[in-house]
């Protein structure tokens, strides 16, 4: 048995653990992660290139997100298995303990970028998009495919506008002004469905919308999150490093249109995916709401970090609205 076979044999136990504990449909994603990573680094030769931070970074945040098909819920465990890969390299005496710790810390520094790009189709190649489409066929939870036409896979060049243009003041219009929105938010993947109908003030930022959704579903705001609009725009916090738009600066009014759908993903490990449907834009309401209101809803919500454990928190609309008042 050569070095590579012994390494993969040692890692089989870890893959089995993540497969069972993570509730993954199959362990193939973890196996492909290791094989894909090692093949890109040095074609499985287990050479010193595994310690080259420039090569590893290229694999982690460029090559793997672009070319390796993997569902979002598998990406977190893929990251974990790469950490275990370096532990196995140390135990097989291929690298030293210090080298192992240094590379695991380097992987940790690139964790956010890796998870974000693995979950954002705008970083995927056309081949990967086609494969992901094929995988998702027959999945009743998926409403729209990863159609290649939905994405701008090449970043458009930025235009440098002259700085000597004066902006004319906008004329204030008090007619047909949107004052609030009715939205329905579904936590995807559950039957019977878990959903909330909310009245949300117009003119708020995506950062505030994030806080509203945290209160509406009784989350604890202890994990990463992102918004995806039309599967082409990614909106999130600045510390996520990879969003196209800063959630503090972008207003929901730029994207909210009646019938429009927006995806909100919370916790890239458990992958709690919420679909926001804008049901109605309220016009010219003389009393604009200052805070969001949960008008109706159904379904208890799962506990934080409980994917697959079926531990639930009871739905309490009065408690939700109390949190929304103080949001």
């Amino acid at each position: 048995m050569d070095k590579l076979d012994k390494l993969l044999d040692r890692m089989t136990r870890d893959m089995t653990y993540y497969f069972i504990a993570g509730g993954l449909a199959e362990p193939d994603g973890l196996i492909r992660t290791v094989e894909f990573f090692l093949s890109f680094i040095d074609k499985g030769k287990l050479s010193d290139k595994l310690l080259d931070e420039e090569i590893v970074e290229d694999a982690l945040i460029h090559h793997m997100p672009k070319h390796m098909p993997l569902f979002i819920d598998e990406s977190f465990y893929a990251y974990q298995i790469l950490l275990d890969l370096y532990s196995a390299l140390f135990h097989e005496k291929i690298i030293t303990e210090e080298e192992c710790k240094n590379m695991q810390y380097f992987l940790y520094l690139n964790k956010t970028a890796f998870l974000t790009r693995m979950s954002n189709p705008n970083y995927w190649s056309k081949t990967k998009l086609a494969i992901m489409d094929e995988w998702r066929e027959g999945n009743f939870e998926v409403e729209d495919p990863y159609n290649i036409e939905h994405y701008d896979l090449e970043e458009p060049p930025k235009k440098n506008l002259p700085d000597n243009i004066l902006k004319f003041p906008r004329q204030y219009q008090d007619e047909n002004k949107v004052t609030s929105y009715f939205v329905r938010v579904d936590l995807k993947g559950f039957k019977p469905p878990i959903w909330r109908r909310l009245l949300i003030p117009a003119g708020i930022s995506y950062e505030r919308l994030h806080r509203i959704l945290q209160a509406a579903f009784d989350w604890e705001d202890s994990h990463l999150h992102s918004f995806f609009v039309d599967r082409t725009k990614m909106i999130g916090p600045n510390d996520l490093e990879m969003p196209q738009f800063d959630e503090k600066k972008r207003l929901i009014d730029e994207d909210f249109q009646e019938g429009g759908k927006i995806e909100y993903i919370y916790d890239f490990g458990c992958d709690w995916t919420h679909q926001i449907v804008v049901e109605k834009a309220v016009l010219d309401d003389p009393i604009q709401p200052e805070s969001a209101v949960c008008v109706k809803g159904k379904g208890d919500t799962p506990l934080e970090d409980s994917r697959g454990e079926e531990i639930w928190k009871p739905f309490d609309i009065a408690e939700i609205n109390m949190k929304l008042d103080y949001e």
Side-chain angles (χ1 to χ4, degrees):
M1 184 181 291
D2 63 16
K3 288 195 299 182
L4 182 59
D5 289 334
K6 289 177 66 178
L7 179 73
L8 295 176
D9 184 61
R10 175 180 285 275
M11 295 190 67
T12 300
R13 294 189 301 272
D14 292 331
M15 292 183 187
T16 304
Y17 168 77
Y18 290 129
F19 167 54
I20 297 173
L24 301 178
E26 54 185 24
D28 292 359
L30 302 179
I31 298 170
R32 282 187 291 106
T33 297
V34 174
E35 292 177 342
F36 199 97
F37 181 80
L38 291 176
S39 176
F40 176 80
I41 296 295
D42 63 356
K43 301 189 182 302
K45 297 177 182 177
L46 306 182
S47 67
D48 289 343
K49 289 183 178 180
L50 286 163
L51 305 176
D52 188 318
E53 293 183 355
E54 186 175 342
I55 296 175
V56 171
E57 182 181 38
D58 189 28
L60 199 65
I61 67 173
H62 296 293
H63 197 74
M64 294 177 72
K66 184 175 182 179
H67 298 293
M68 189 178 74
L70 207 63
F71 287 123
I72 294 174
D73 60 342
E74 295 177 308
S75 298
F76 173 78
Y77 297 102
Y79 164 77
Q80 294 295 130
I81 209 69
L82 289 178
L83 293 177
D84 291 346
L85 168 63
Y86 279 92
S87 293
L89 288 167
F90 162 63
H91 288 296
E92 290 297 322
K93 298 181 172 26
I94 297 172
I95 62 175
T96 67
E97 183 176 8
E98 183 179 357
E99 289 170 335
C100 170
K101 290 179 178 178
N102 288 340
M103 292 310 299
Q104 286 181 330
Y105 180 66
F106 183 75
L107 291 177
Y108 167 75
L109 293 178
N110 288 278
K111 176 182 178 181
T112 299
F114 171 72
L115 294 177
T116 302
R117 292 189 173 203
M118 289 297 291
S119 65
N120 185 352
N122 288 293
Y123 290 102
W124 303 350
S125 67
K126 292 182 178 181
T127 301
K128 178 175 176 177
L129 284 167
I131 293 172
M132 296 294 284
D133 254 346
E134 184 178 346
W135 285 2
R136 291 163 67 111
E137 284 183 3
N139 186 343
F140 71 91
E141 297 175 8
V142 178
E143 297 174 355
D144 300 306
Y146 287 127
N147 194 305
I148 291 174
E149 297 177 356
H150 293 174
Y151 303 96
D152 181 12
L153 298 176
E154 295 182 0
E155 295 184 4
K158 295 182 178 179
K159 296 181 180 179
N160 295 320
L161 299 175
D163 58 3
N164 59 347
I165 297 177
L166 297 176
K167 293 183 179 181
F168 287 95
R170 294 181 180 179
Q171 183 178 358
Y172 177 76
Q173 296 180 351
D174 56 359
E175 293 182 359
N176 297 327
K177 179 184 177 183
V178 177
T179 53
S180 58
Y181 300 94
F182 280 102
V183 301
R184 170 165 166 154
V185 187
D186 285 72
L187 184 58
K188 297 178 71 173
F190 293 94
K191 286 194 172 182
I194 301 170
W195 59 274
R196 307 286 184 261
R197 178 167 286 114
L198 306 171
L199 175 65
I200 297 176
I204 66 171
S205 67
Y206 273 94
E207 181 188 38
R208 187 175 173 193
L209 178 60
H210 159 68
R211 297 198 303 268
I212 289 171
L213 295 174
Q214 288 286 306
F217 287 87
D218 205 14
W219 298 124
E220 298 174 9
D221 199 8
S222 57
H223 296 283
L224 299 173
H225 69 275
S226 286
F227 292 91
F228 295 92
V229 181
D230 297 329
R231 300 185 182 275
T232 59
K233 303 172 190 171
M234 182 182 182
I235 304 163
N238 246 351
D239 55 9
L240 198 57
E241 296 181 358
M242 300 313 304
Q244 294 167 289
F245 300 97
D246 184 352
E247 65 177 17
K248 291 182 179 180
K249 298 178 181 179
R250 191 171 181 87
L251 302 182
I252 64 172
D253 309 78
E254 299 179 63
D255 305 301
F256 272 37
Q257 297 180 356
E258 289 189 3
K261 296 179 181 179
I262 294 170
E263 200 167 72
Y264 169 69
I265 298 178
Y266 172 62
D267 186 350
F268 295 162
C270 286
D271 184 25
W272 305 116
T273 303
H274 310 65
Q275 180 175 266
I276 306 167
V277 177
V278 182
E279 295 182 316
K280 182 179 180 181
V282 181
L283 302 176
D284 303 326
D285 190 338
I287 304 176
Q288 183 171 357
E290 294 183 0
S291 59
V293 178
C294 182
V295 180
K296 194 174 181 180
K298 284 189 178 180
D300 298 342
T301 50
L303 284 174
E304 196 99 359
D305 301 317
S306 69
R307 172 68 81 179
E309 296 181 10
E310 300 180 353
I311 303 173
W312 306 92
K313 292 176 288 186
F315 169 56
D316 187 334
I317 194 169
E319 183 179 346
I320 289 174
N321 280 318
M322 189 179 302
K323 290 182 178 180
L324 290 172
D325 277 339
Y326 290 98
E327 167 272 318

